[in-house]
């Protein structure tokens, strides 16, 4: 059995609070027990107890921490930070800092969760503006991990390398790949092409002595091909790529509907095709939730409008991350990156002092 | 009848040279005559004459300019510029500069066509690195013009505004919209979101006094929705978005094939669905060719592997642009932009000198 862990749960987040969260926890109860996972459940004790009464097998795995304060789904991050202390979301994250839990899961509002997690746990590297958002992009070979898809709009070369380090550790922990391959999103595969920050990140990934299976540049169509396991890009480009893909999936769906409704046979075909497309859209949309990468601690966002199965999935991701070498791998590679960068600076300084002499 | 024009044709470009170019010209012969379009056809006179013998109605519209020099499909731009003088591609563009033609069409290699066009015609604005590549993206409402999809990797705010000006004039001339709407690609619709260059371009488009129907920020999924007629972005983001879309279309196609081959009914559905997806892929890929925007002159790239119909389409685009106010609209708006920018500089200078006093 893996090392026992405690996962801290915000029971009040999302559209349905405990009535989705508790059934979600109950869904995986056999798995949690087998894996040594137990829960600290934060929120309205009476409502949580009422839901738990239906799942006697779950109750012994849970310790409930009562609070009445809840952060609303539409509260601005700044407001949530000001008045959120003691809320179920806040307490779920705080439990990590206090060492009482090894991971937290919330389906509360993303902006508030990001801001409060950053405030309480701090970023693993001080230059990261906010946690990176990662999606598992469906491909014909499985899933490609793509990050950042929207949190960090301006990224220099070092931030891109940070994402490579975090995305690789995430992909290994969650998708079980031994040596995940990494690609850097660019406009061509040749070394001389692309933006300067991307070329500099390429150099760092190639020469920085990091323990990564880096494969070089990839292009937009590699995202869907599964050419590599992890694709790294800045939050601006990643967000545009993700939303463009959603738009294309929706457009294809509408075109097919139009093309396929002319006869009974076509209608049946359309019905089947619609199912395939809906699955695609569901898979491509980061709604199922994902971790906020780059924090000193494991925080997983579950989809606010999701169902019990979605919440159970998010808890599973949190357990995968907490029971793997995820955190230590990131720390080791970030240290290596810092060393490589200061070596580079030392070289520059040496050259500069030679010129002075 | 619109004002008569001459279009300069590179008859030797593409995979098939005159055997595709001449039938392409012949396909539209009624249209060309009705529109007052005639041709200067550059290339191997004997081969061109041999092809034209099959189209007696086309011959009177054409003047052939013999040359034996041809730029290869895989020649590097630098090489093409060095040894390309006097080639069919070179001469086709040169005819514009000499005032003997109002537009040029070539299916020769894109890099060579860009480099030679820039060398001969120069850019309308000196800061533009190279001509912008534009695609007509299929949406449920028709087509959205998207640029730049790959030529200009690093774009500051002014370049983005240049693209807005050129894309709007292009969309009006080719798709016949009266006041095309324009959107700036960003990661959210709110003014405070996004990269600094994009926010600055937003300010210029809003306050620059340009004669444009600018609608503000759009997101990746607006590309496929047709929310606006023209979407402006830098060549890095545009290239990633385009290739991501191609990848998604390919993935959806493969998923459907897998899902739909289980029964006869499904097979029929799959057959129909495949047709719809193939059309989508064809429409989304910029293979049909498009203009190189930002040159002092109209140059249209036709797909190197395209057929006669594709070449005829490219010639139609060239005629649309040459017989509209395309060039003068771009010039007027660029002058307005320059005026707005120097006003801005004057304001800065005034504030600076006030502080000195």
């Amino acid at each position: 059995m893996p090392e026992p862990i405690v996962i801290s749960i915000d029971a009040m987040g999302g559209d349905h609070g405990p009535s989705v969260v508790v059934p979600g926890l109950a869904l995986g109860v056999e798995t949690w027990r087998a894996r040594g996972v137990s829960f600290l459940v934060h929120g309205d004790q009476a409502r949580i107890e009422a839901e738990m009464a239906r799942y006697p097998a779950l109750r012994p795995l849970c310790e409930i921490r009562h609070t009445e304060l809840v952060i609303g789904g539409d509260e601005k991050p700044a407001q949530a930070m000001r008045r959120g202390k003691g809320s179920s979301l806040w307490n779920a994250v705080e439990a990590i800092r206090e060492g009482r839990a090894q991971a937290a899961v919330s389906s509360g509002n993303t902006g508030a969760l990001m801001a409060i997690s950053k405030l309480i746990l701090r970023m693993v590297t001080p230059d990261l503006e906010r946690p990176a958002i990662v999606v598992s992009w469906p491909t014909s070979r499985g899933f490609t991990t793509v990050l950042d898809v929207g949190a960090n709009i301006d990224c220099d070369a070092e931030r891109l390398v940070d994402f490579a380090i975090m995305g690789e550790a995430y992909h290994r922990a969650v998708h079980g790949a031994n040596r995940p391959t990494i690609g850097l999103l660019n406009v061509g595969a040749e070394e001389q092409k692309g933006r300067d920050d991307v070329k500099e990140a390429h150099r760092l990934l190639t020469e920085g002595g990091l323990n990564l299976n880096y494969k070089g540049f990839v292009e937009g169509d590699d995202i869907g091909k599964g050419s590599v396991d992890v694709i790294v890009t800045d939050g601006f480009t990643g967000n545009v790529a993700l939303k463009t893909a959603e738009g294309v999936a929706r457009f294809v769906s509408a075109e097919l509907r139009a093309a396929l409704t002319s006869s009974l046979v076509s209608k049946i075909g359309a019905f089947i095709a619609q199912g395939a497309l809906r699955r695609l859209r569901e898979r491509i949309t980061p709604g199922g939730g994902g971790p906020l990468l780059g924090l000193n601690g494991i925080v997983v966002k579950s989809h606010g409008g999701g169902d019990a199965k979605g919440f159970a999935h998010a808890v599973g991701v949190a357990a995968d991350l907490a029971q793997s070498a995820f955190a230590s791998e990131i720390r080791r590679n970030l240290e290596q990156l810092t060393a490589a960068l200061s070596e580079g600076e030392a070289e520059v300084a040496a050259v500069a002092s030679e010129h002075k002499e």
Side-chain angles (χ1 to χ4, degrees), chain A residues 340-353:
Chain A
L341 289 171
S342 53
E343 249 175 57
E345 276 166 30
E347 270 175 44
V348 170
V351 171
S353 82

Side-chain angles (χ1 to χ4, degrees), chain A residues 77-152:
Chain A
Q79 191 188 357
M81 282 165 80
R82 261 197 318 276
R83 61 157 227 103
K85 195 166 183 179
S87 64
S88 58
L89 187 156
W90 185 291
N91 291 355
V93 177
E94 180 78 12
I96 299 176
R97 198 186 58 77
E98 292 168 346
R100 291 185 290 115
Q102 283 68 54
V105 179
S106 172
S107 41
N109 102 49
T110 309
L113 184 61
M114 276 203 176
I116 289 173
S117 298
K118 184 181 166 185
L119 184 73
I120 295 176
L121 300 172
R122 310 264 160 204
M123 305 303 292
V124 280
T125 159
D127 304 312
L128 215 51
E129 198 185 342
R130 52 176 69 94
I133 303 177
V134 58
V135 293
S136 291
W137 195 295
T139 74
S140 34
R141 302 185 190 177
F143 287 95
T144 294
T145 293
V146 183
L147 77 164
D148 179 2
V149 295
N152 297 277

